[in-house]
Amino acid sequence: MIEAKGLTKVYGEKTAVGGVSFTVQAGRVTGFLGPNGAGKSTTMRMIMGLDSPTAGSVTVNGEPFAQHKAPLREIGALLDAKAVHTSRTAYNHLLAMAATHSIPTSRVREVIEMTGLSDVAKKKVKGFSLGMGQRLGIAAALLGDPQTIILDEPVNGLDPEGVVWVRNLVKYLASEGRTVFLSSHLMSEMALTADHLIVIGRGKIIADAPIAEIITGKGQARTRVRTDQPERLMQLLAGTGVSVEVHERELLEVSGLDPRGIARTALENQVMVYELTPLQASLEEAYMELTKDEVEYHSHITTGASVPAQAGGK
Amino acid sequence: MSTTTLDRRSIRNSVGPGPAFHRVLNSEFIKFRTLMSTLILLASTAIVMVGFAALAAWGTGSFAEQAARDPEAAAAIAAQGGDLAVSIPTSGISFAQLILGSLGVLLMSSEFTTGMARSTFAAVPKRLSPFLAKLIVVVVSAFLLTAVSTYIAGLVSLPIVDSYDLKLDLGSSQSIKLLLVNSIYVAAVAAIGMALGTIVRNSAGGIMSLVGIFFVLPIAFQLIPGDFFKEASKYLPTSTLSPLTAVEHVPDTLEAWQAALVLGAWVVVPVALAMILLKKRDV
């Protein structure tokens, strides 16, 4: 379990993390989501005692990280895939880390095999792809078989197979009762991986809730309807609490009425409907909604630019 | 690749051994011996030491040969105590100090430039323990390498010196003193280098500072006129070597015990500063 209380980090005039408090529970995957520069990595470095907080405190399994008698066996972290001397081989890197805690060589081999690095373990890290570097970082995090695992952007640079592997790994680790804290700026990945979500923007916690709640908390359920008589259906559906948007000639988006209700109205009035799809607000939309005021680096459409700054979701 | 190989040890009674100092020392030694660049620097130090000694043996020999025919040169030799050959094995010492001092810088600065420091200090959050472990590895290896290279350099020089009918006794008390003092001196330079690497966290900056202290300052202090700089230059680390190895006290230099204290201060101050900064700063 990780507990942050009023955790603050100020660099000169810039507040990277502004008094955040949260708890990461054991037995589930907690996602740490936020745009670039939101303070995710700074928060994680403070958890690991690498950066000291300007104010506030953070404990892991009840104690500040540095107070643990065997830190590697309590908390494993991937903070940065580049936290390695690149002229050393992957095996020797892990061996040197393991030596600090008398972790046996057999365990070093085990994590190498587990992370799929067997073929490159005796090669210098210099030649590793970003994905291989991530795997090595994850191997280092698992070395001490820790109760708490912190992974900063673990799927960065991984191929699709690696992404699925990380997803399954963290779910498995959480199912064993471990605390898993995972940061990402990819909401789609979080939607598939995390059970619980802490959303941070500009150094402040914007949301801290189960992932389902964050998704459903955003607006009402909507339904996509295709019909060859859109005008007539709009008239029929019009009523209290129902709003209809016209998207294309024969495509409507209805909110305030469930698909069954829409189908019944259409059937009773002999209107042909050829698509009826319940729409769930995506985590992406929920996230955009949550962070729209908190994004550090806004994209703007500059004059003459032909590319829209933000891809349309419709 | 499957996750099922993960140990099911999530519920444990005792956590297991932590980073006791001997384990951190072992870890630092693994880090030391698994870098090719380190091994290359060590090997080149040995080669330079032996090579320079051989050259010096040859040069000293031909000089002595000339001196035998030239009364003035003979007088000059006599003024130096008559023992020309004894300092031959340590002829390459200023290169050894540069290389091993730079190694000291690199071993610490590379932790920061590569990001390795985050792994190191996440594994051992009490940061002074890896620092001291690394310091021991650096100092001991610099000492041993200099001592062994000096001895080998002596052995290589022996036949050359012999061919000029000069005497070099590697077992003489002055030979042993030169070997030990020079090895301690190079170890001290390596420690200073490591402290500089910790303070500036940058390889180029650290090596430049080292070169500044050991090569630029001594020359600059000589060139700047005035008694102050003449006096101050006695307190540079490079000036401590000759009082420490002199057979008799040379006028206008520090006494041996003073030189030892000055060299000690040159080590302790940057090392202490490095430790304070390492503890205080974010990694």
Side-chain angles (χ1 to χ4, degrees):
Chain A
M1 193 168 84
I2 303 167
E3 269 183 293
K5 285 185 195 129
L7 202 57
T8 306
K9 183 72 185 179
V10 181
Y11 295 108
E13 301 219 323
K14 191 174 149 51
T15 303
V17 179
V20 302
S21 299
F22 59 84
T23 304
V24 182
Q25 299 284 1
R28 66 186 188 197
V29 178
T30 302
F32 195 30
L33 185 62
N36 292 332
K40 301 186 296 288
S41 296
T42 308
T43 303
M44 287 184 154
R45 281 202 306 273
M46 287 195 281
I47 296 172
M48 297 302 291
L50 293 173
D51 286 13
S52 52
T54 313
S57 65
V58 58
T59 60
V60 187
N61 305 338
E63 274 185 88
F65 178 70
Q67 300 304 317
H68 283 287
K69 287 199 171 62
L72 269 192
R73 296 175 190 273
E74 292 282 350
I75 308 108
L78 161 76
L79 291 183
D80 189 341
K82 291 276 175 281
V84 183
H85 197 306
T86 48
S87 298
R88 210 172 267 127
T89 66
Y91 176 79
N92 283 332
H93 170 72
L94 294 172
L95 195 67
M97 288 194 69
T100 58
H101 285 62
S102 280
I103 295 167
T105 326
S106 57
R107 176 65 184 170
V108 172
R109 292 205 195 89
E110 210 170 279
V111 293
I112 285 174
E113 199 180 311
M114 205 190 294
T115 49
L117 289 172
S118 304
D119 294 341
V120 292
K122 302 275 173 161
K123 293 207 171 94
K124 284 185 184 174
V125 179
K126 205 172 277 177
F128 279 26
S129 64
L130 185 54
M132 284 298 178
Q134 294 284 16
R135 285 169 188 272
L136 177 58
I138 294 169
L142 296 177
L143 203 52
D145 193 16
Q147 176 61 31
T148 302
I149 292 128
I150 296 174
L151 305 172
D152 194 3
E153 305 269 359
V155 300
N156 256 9
L158 285 181
D159 51 16
E161 189 258 348
V163 171
V164 173
W165 170 70
V166 169
R167 196 181 298 155
N168 292 335
L169 175 71
V170 295
K171 284 182 172 175
Y172 175 76
L173 291 168
S175 75
E176 288 186 312
R178 297 178 207 250
T179 306
V180 182
F181 193 37
L182 183 79
S183 87
S184 180
H185 61 272
L186 300 172
M187 30 265 152
S188 50
E189 187 47 42
M190 282 297 184
L192 293 168
T193 311
D195 306 309
H196 191 94
L197 211 56
I198 296 173
V199 184
I200 188 170
R202 285 211 193 175
K204 291 217 159 56
I205 302 289
I206 306 168
D208 182 352
I211 201 150
E213 211 170 279
I214 287 185
I215 293 172
T216 54
K218 157 75 171 66
Q220 297 164 295
R222 288 165 301 148
T223 309
R224 185 162 66 209
V225 184
R226 280 185 208 269
T227 171
D228 52 5
Q229 288 172 274
E231 290 82 7
R232 180 153 157 69
L233 187 63
M234 275 176 77
Q235 283 169 3
L236 291 167
L237 290 174
T240 46
V242 180
S243 66
V244 183
E245 282 175 54
V246 185
H247 281 249
E248 281 166 32
R249 237 200 68 70
E250 299 197 338
L251 174 62
L252 306 175
E253 212 172 279
V254 182
S255 53
L257 194 61
D258 65 349
R260 185 187 291 268
I262 299 167
R264 183 175 294 127
T265 309
L267 180 67
E268 281 167 1
N269 295 281
Q270 303 267 309
V271 176
M272 191 188 78
V273 168
Y274 62 93
E275 185 190 340
L276 200 57
T277 313
L279 297 175
Q280 200 184 28
S282 68
L283 179 59
E284 188 156 345
E285 285 171 278
Y287 171 78
M288 289 298 189
E289 186 67 29
L290 280 169
T291 59
K292 67 181 174 197
D293 302 323
E294 311 291 343
V295 181
E296 183 86 358
Y297 308 106
H298 278 284
S299 315
H300 294 286
I301 302 172
T302 48
T303 330
S306 58
V307 183
Q310 282 181 327
K314 302 286 161 59
Chain B
M1 179 90 27
S2 101
T3 55
T4 49
T5 50
L6 195 80
D7 278 1
R8 292 179 179 273
R9 286 184 281 139
S10 53
I11 299 154
R12 292 151 298 173
N13 297 327
S14 66
V15 183
F21 189 72
H22 68 277
R23 299 197 186 99
V24 179
L25 191 61
N26 181 27
S27 168
E28 287 299 331
F29 183 62
I30 294 172
K31 280 155 78 176
F32 181 80
R33 67 175 167 78
T34 52
L35 277 186
M36 189 53 90
S37 53
T38 305
L39 302 177
I40 290 173
L41 285 180
L42 294 180
S44 42
T45 308
I47 292 167
V48 166
M49 288 283 288
V50 173
F52 266 84
L55 281 177
W58 183 40
T60 310
S62 37
F63 176 67
E65 219 171 35
Q66 280 184 340
R69 296 190 292 267
D70 181 353
E72 258 179 63
I77 292 172
Q80 283 192 357
D83 200 351
L84 272 181
V86 73
S87 62
I88 286 172
T90 51
S91 309
I93 208 70
S94 53
F95 296 96
Q97 86 178 10
L98 178 62
I99 300 174
L100 293 178
S102 303
L103 178 66
V105 172
L106 286 172
L107 285 177
M108 203 61 183
S109 62
S110 67
E111 288 264 343
F112 292 99
T113 54
T114 60
M116 180 68 202
R118 283 188 287 277
S119 295
T120 303
F121 297 120
V124 192
K126 298 204 164 62
R127 300 178 194 168
L128 296 186
S129 155
F131 176 86
L132 290 173
K134 198 186 279 294
L135 188 66
I136 289 174
V137 171
V138 166
V139 164
V140 169
S141 56
F143 177 86
L144 287 179
L145 187 81
T146 311
V148 171
S149 309
T150 303
Y151 192 71
I152 295 172
L155 291 179
V156 169
S157 312
L158 271 180
I160 305 171
V161 174
D162 232 24
S163 70
Y164 288 102
D165 282 337
L166 278 174
K167 254 198 275 173
L168 173 59
D169 181 2
L170 295 180
S172 76
S173 62
Q174 182 63 10
S175 281
I176 292 170
K177 184 178 170 187
L178 277 172
L179 182 142
L180 288 178
V181 169
N182 277 288
S183 303
I184 291 170
Y185 175 78
V186 172
V189 178
I192 296 169
M194 198 187 123
L196 291 173
T198 314
I199 294 167
V200 302
R201 296 187 170 192
N202 173 303
S203 304
I207 292 175
M208 285 315 290
S209 324
L210 188 83
V211 169
I213 294 170
F214 286 89
F215 291 87
V216 180
L217 284 189
I219 298 170
F221 276 26
Q222 265 184 355
L223 293 179
I224 304 172
D227 287 342
F228 173 77
F229 286 100
K230 201 176 168 193
E231 181 65 21
S233 75
K234 288 188 204 168
Y235 296 90
L236 290 174
T238 39
S239 307
T240 60
L241 196 50
S242 104
L244 283 171
T245 54
V247 186
E248 280 171 38
H249 178 241
V250 184
D252 227 23
T253 62
L254 298 177
E255 298 280 350
W257 64 271
Q258 291 171 320
L261 283 181
V262 168
L263 184 60
W266 271 100
V267 174
V268 169
V269 172
V271 166
L273 183 65
M275 285 167 77
I276 293 167
L277 287 176
L278 183 64
K279 194 83 187 162
K280 265 183 70 175
R281 286 196 291 202
D282 291 341
V283 172

